[in-house]
Amino acid sequence: DVAALTSSAMDENLAEYNHLRKQLSDIRQAGEEFRFIYLMGLRAGQVIFLADAEPQDSEDYSAPGDSYDEASVELLRAFETGESFVEGPLTDQWGEWVSGFSAIRDPGTGEVLALLGIDIDAEIWRDDMAAYRWLGYCLSGAFILLTMAYVLHLRRIRNLNANLQAEVARRTLVEAELRAKHQELLLRERRLDLIVNSSPDVFYRLD
């Protein structure tokens, strides 16, 4: 469809042009934050509009062939490289925008036929960035808290393990002492038995 455009007012009568405008309009309706969606071309070094999703009776409508005199260096370069990019916030006659551009190429030659542009109001973009920034702060804070909780939990487990090991060592020592005392008692009993068995009978008389 893009290759059929002549970059002039006559395009408004082409079925291809109206089909492209419908596609652009559908994209715009898919994103509430999208303000302008359009196709741009490059003719004799001049950036021009090829198609615009804006209603034709809107004061912001750009007709086929209308020039865009505020093109940035990055925008001009994109017609050569075909690389997608985002720029802004930048100000033009319609306001202040953050704009994203993506190349539309000829499937046969790879030539850049046009750039699809999408404009988002810079104020909405700032609000979104602020929201994402706060979300990032919240996530970072939550991560820090979880990390601290995890470290404290590990420290508690290590303390419990240390206390448990100390208690096991203490009980082991007590058991060893008890076994030693038991062996000592057994040895005394054996010695006493030897003394009793090796002595003559002794009778005790009580008056």
Side-chain angles (χ1 to χ4, degrees):
D1 290 347
V2 176
L5 302 181
T6 64
S7 310
S8 68
M10 292 187 299
D11 286 344
E12 294 181 343
N13 298 319
L14 295 177
E16 292 85 352
Y17 173 81
N18 290 295
H19 179 63
L20 285 171
R21 286 194 70 245
K22 184 180 184 306
Q23 289 180 314
L24 296 176
S25 180
D26 290 342
I27 295 173
R28 180 180 175 182
Q29 292 177 6
E32 295 181 357
E33 70 277 19
F34 300 157
R35 176 58 187 92
F36 293 114
I37 299 183
Y38 46 85
L39 291 179
M40 283 183 162
L42 186 66
R43 301 292 184 270
Q46 175 67 54
V47 177
I48 61 173
F49 287 96
L50 299 178
D52 187 5
E54 197 72 5
Q56 290 179 315
D57 57 355
S58 169
E59 61 180 10
D60 294 323
Y61 171 70
S62 296
D66 283 357
S67 62
Y68 181 67
D69 300 323
E70 297 161 289
S72 65
V73 174
E74 288 78 11
L75 180 58
L76 291 169
R77 186 183 298 120
F79 283 102
E80 298 178 4
T81 64
E83 295 179 355
S84 300
F85 73 101
V86 176
E87 65 177 0
L90 294 178
T91 302
D92 60 18
Q93 59 181 306
W94 290 280
E96 187 181 19
W97 315 100
V98 173
S99 304
F101 295 92
S102 181
I104 298 176
R105 296 177 180 271
D106 185 307
T109 65
E111 176 189 0
V112 176
L113 300 177
L115 292 180
L116 170 65
I118 298 178
D119 293 344
I120 298 175
D121 188 289
E123 197 61 34
I124 295 177
W125 177 81
R126 290 190 183 96
D127 291 342
D128 288 345
M129 289 301 100
Y132 289 136
R133 190 177 296 114
W134 277 110
L135 177 60
Y137 292 155
C138 292
L139 291 176
S140 297
F143 177 75
I144 292 173
L145 291 175
L146 287 174
T147 301
M148 292 176 61
Y150 178 70
V151 170
L152 292 175
H153 181 64
L154 284 180
R155 188 172 297 173
R156 182 171 177 271
I157 290 177
R158 288 172 182 171
N159 291 336
L160 289 175
N161 286 338
N163 293 336
L164 181 61
Q165 291 175 358
E167 180 65 18
V168 170
R170 186 186 69 80
R171 293 191 179 188
T172 301
L173 180 60
V174 170
E175 290 176 359
E177 292 177 351
L178 290 175
R179 283 196 296 270
K181 290 181 180 180
H182 180 67
Q183 292 296 328
E184 184 179 352
L185 289 174
L186 290 176
L187 182 60
R188 287 181 180 180
E189 289 178 0
R190 291 173 183 173
R191 287 176 180 174
L192 183 60
D193 288 342
L194 288 174
I195 292 173
V196 172
N197 293 331
S198 61
S199 299
D201 293 338
V202 177
F203 296 95
Y204 294 92
R205 181 177 179 180
L206 298 177
D207 294 334

